[in-house]
Amino acid sequence: MHKINEMMDRPVVLDEVRTFLRTAQKQLDGKLGEIEKEANDNRVPIIPHETVTFFIWLFGQIKPKEILEVGTAIGFSAGLMTQYMDQEGKITTIERNPTMIEKAKDNFKTLQIEDKVTLLEGQADEWLEKLESHKYDFIFMDSAKAKYYDFFPNCMRILKQNGVLAVDDVLQGGTILEEEKDIPRRRRKIHKKLNAFLKIVMDHPALETTLLPLGDGLLLITKKEEFDFSYMYET
């Protein structure tokens, strides 16, 4: 069903701190809690529990109504967001993996949230080009890490002003800080593209950005001003 992600075992905080964050904080109950436990027991990559509790807190503050998720996987994070978004909120989520799509559909049915979630099947870059500008209050990007750089301009186009883009797994187990020559060849593309992405967003005047050591690094970007980012990608 999936390949084990080696970065799942390379925490960016001390092991004992990670364990504390995942066990001491309030646990999920009901069907969503069962999905989380099953995924963790079977090593299916979903957002870790410290990110779960942060999202619950964050959604209580921003109460998004229109949410886009890039990377549905088994539908766990979409299921979580439906519970804590605005009561009239809707989620659009994109996934290309047929096995994940079927599992996500099953989980959406189990959670009885099919009326709140629209699942777009196919390549994220193709869907992102078609989506309406200035539509989404919150975008959660948790897909192919090497694609974050490429997806970013369209994410900014479709995100409302003062909307939030959350980007998961940007630290690559801390290896993001290493020299490219020290990175295994199979991961150099991800390393290069993530560093290019971070260079754009970390200090841009139109953005407010913070990077949290949750999971493998959670990047939060608030779009404070309208800005054309496309010129940065011209070659």
Side-chain angles (χ1 to χ4, degrees), residues 49-161:
H49 196 69
E50 62 269 32
T51 304
V52 168
T53 58
F54 175 74
F55 271 14
I56 292 171
W57 175 87
L58 178 65
F59 273 39
Q61 308 303 308
I62 65 176
K63 296 180 175 60
K65 290 185 177 180
E66 290 286 350
I67 298 170
L68 173 68
E69 178 182 50
V70 184
T72 314
I74 65 169
F76 171 71
S77 50
L80 175 75
M81 290 187 286
T82 61
Q83 290 197 6
Y84 295 96
M85 65 185 180
D86 184 271
Q87 189 173 3
E88 298 179 357
K90 298 287 185 180
I91 293 179
T92 301
T93 183
I94 305 172
E95 179 58 53
R96 68 177 184 176
N97 184 305
T99 303
M100 292 291 190
I101 288 169
E102 292 309 309
K103 184 63 175 175
K105 287 179 178 178
D106 288 343
N107 284 332
F108 294 157
K109 185 176 181 179
T110 296
L111 295 169
Q112 299 181 332
I113 57 172
E114 296 163 291
D115 60 329
K116 294 180 176 292
V117 180
T118 299
L119 176 56
L120 304 179
E121 302 179 24
Q123 298 292 336
D125 52 354
E126 296 175 5
W127 278 114
L128 287 171
E129 291 178 0
K130 300 175 185 177
L131 295 176
E132 180 183 345
S133 297
H134 313 122
K135 176 178 175 63
Y136 297 98
D137 307 298
F138 185 83
I139 300 175
F140 181 42
M141 192 152 57
D142 187 15
S143 57
K145 314 315 169 197
K147 291 290 188 177
Y148 288 173
Y149 176 88
D150 303 306
F151 294 165
F152 179 67
N154 266 320
C155 285
M156 286 294 101
R157 177 184 63 80
I158 63 181
L159 187 67
K160 293 179 181 178
Q161 189 169 342

